[in-house]
C-alpha cells in the first residue's frame, strides 16, 4: 500500500476537466472537475487494482497563469461548503487548490499552508492575474485565500464563489458596502 501511494505521488496526475463526467466499467460513476485519474493510460484509470474506462476530457496541467482565471470562472456561484472541493460545494482553499491542480500545480489544502509557498509581493500593484491573496483574522492567522484577477478584482469562495474588489485593505464587498476580509499578503506561485 505504501509503495502504491509513493508511486502515485511521483506520477504526473491526469485530471478530469468537465464539470461532471462518468467513469466506469460495469457500473458508471459520476466524477466532478478536478478528479484525479490514477495511472491513466489508453482511456482507463487504475483504481483499487481495477481498470475504469474514462473517455471524457482531461489534462495533466499547463502550468500557465493565463488559464487560472478561465478555470476559476467555471466555479462562479458554486455554493460555499467548509471542506468542500467540488462545484456542489467548495471552500476558499479548496477552490484555489483545485484551480491550481487543473494547471498541474500542487498546492497544500489549507490557506495558511498555501501562504507558506511562492514569492511574496510587496504591493497589490505588483500582482498579476492568477496570484493568490491571503487574508488574516484579528489574531493574525491566515483564514482566507482568493485568486487575483485584472483591474483589482478577486475571485474567492465566501458564501459562494464570487468576484469582489480588492485593494490594499482587503476584499471590498459592494453588496455589503464594506471590507469583509483584511489583506495580509499576496503570493506569486507560478
Amino acid at each position: 500500500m505504501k509503495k502504491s501511494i509513493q508511486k502515485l505521488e511521483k506520477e504526473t496526475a491526469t485530471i478530469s476537466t468537465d464539470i461532471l463526467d462518468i467513469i466506469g466499467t460495469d457500473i458508471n460513476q459520476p466524477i466532478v472537475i478536478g478528479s484525479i485519474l490514477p495511472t491513466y493510460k489508453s482511456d482507463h484509470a487504475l483504481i483499487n487494482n481495477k481498470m475504469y474506462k474514462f473517455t471524457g476530457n482531461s489534462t495533466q496541467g499547463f502550468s500557465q497563469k493565463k488559464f487560472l482565471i478561465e478555470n476559476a470562472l467555471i466555479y462562479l456561484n458554486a455554493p460555499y461548503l467548509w471542506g468542500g472541493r467540488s462545484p456542489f460545494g467548495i471552500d476558499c482553499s479548496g477552490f484555489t487548490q483545485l484551480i491550481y491542480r487543473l494547471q498541474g500545480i500542487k498546492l497544500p489544502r489549507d490557506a495558511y499552508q498555501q501562504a507558506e509557498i511562492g514569492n511574496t509581493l510587496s504591493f497589490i500593484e505588483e500582482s498579476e492575474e492568477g496570484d493568490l491573496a491571503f487574508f488574516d483574522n484579528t489574531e493574525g492567522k491566515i483564514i482566507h485565500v482568493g485568486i487575483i484577477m485584472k483591474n483589482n478584482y478577486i475571485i474567492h469562495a465566501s458564501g459562494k464563489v464570487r468576484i469582489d474588489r480588492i485593494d490594499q485593505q482587503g476584499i471590498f464587498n459592494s453588496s455589503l458596502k464594506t471590507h469583509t476580509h483584511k489583506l495580509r499578503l499576496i503570493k506569486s506561485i507560478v
Side-chain angles (χ1 to χ4, degrees):
M1 176 84 163
K2 193 173 186 178
K3 285 186 180 185
S4 298
I5 292 170
Q6 290 172 340
K7 181 182 174 191
L8 287 173
E9 285 177 345
K10 290 179 183 177
E11 178 182 311
T12 301
T14 301
I15 302 151
S16 66
T17 58
D18 289 322
I19 289 285
L20 190 62
D21 216 319
I22 300 294
I23 190 168
T25 51
D26 303 334
I27 300 172
N28 290 328
Q29 298 292 318
I31 60 171
V32 295
I33 187 171
S35 295
I36 295 174
L37 304 164
T39 318
Y40 185 72
K41 289 181 185 161
S42 305
D43 293 338
H44 285 81
L46 181 64
I47 303 170
N48 212 16
N49 294 321
K50 187 174 181 179
M51 295 302 285
Y52 288 83
K53 186 161 182 65
F54 178 77
T55 56
N57 293 316
S58 64
T59 185
Q60 289 188 325
F62 303 106
S63 296
Q64 295 178 19
K65 276 187 175 180
K66 67 182 180 180
F67 297 111
L68 288 167
I69 300 303
E70 183 179 315
N71 287 326
L73 290 172
I74 293 169
Y75 285 86
L76 194 60
N77 294 314
Y80 181 87
L81 175 65
W82 185 78
R85 293 190 316 164
S86 85
F88 303 111
I90 196 159
D91 67 15
C92 65
S93 57
F95 173 65
T96 54
Q97 185 186 47
L98 278 176
I99 298 309
Y100 271 76
R101 177 189 288 170
L102 289 167
Q103 298 309 303
I105 301 163
K106 292 179 182 178
L107 288 184
R109 176 60 180 99
D110 293 322
Y112 76 91
Q113 295 168 318
Q114 293 174 9
E116 295 172 357
I117 62 175
N119 298 315
T120 303
L121 305 176
S122 299
F123 302 100
I124 200 164
E125 294 79 19
E126 294 177 350
S127 68
E128 297 176 355
E129 259 191 320
D131 288 339
L132 296 180
F134 296 91
F135 306 87
D136 61 9
N137 61 15
T138 54
E139 290 86 41
K141 294 180 181 175
I142 301 285
I143 57 163
H144 192 66
V145 60
I147 303 172
I148 299 282
M149 299 175 72
K150 286 182 182 176
N151 301 319
N152 294 329
Y153 284 95
I154 186 167
I155 186 166
H156 63 120
S158 180
K160 64 181 180 179
V161 176
R162 55 183 295 125
I163 297 172
D164 286 309
R165 300 290 291 173
I166 184 169
D167 58 30
Q168 284 297 98
Q169 284 185 292
I171 295 175
F172 184 80
N173 182 312
S174 59
S175 300
L176 300 174
K177 298 188 182 352
T178 189
H179 283 89
T180 57
H181 297 82
K182 188 180 109 204
L183 182 63
R184 169 75 174 274
L185 64 127
I186 299 171
K187 293 280 196 133
S188 176
I189 306 297
V190 180

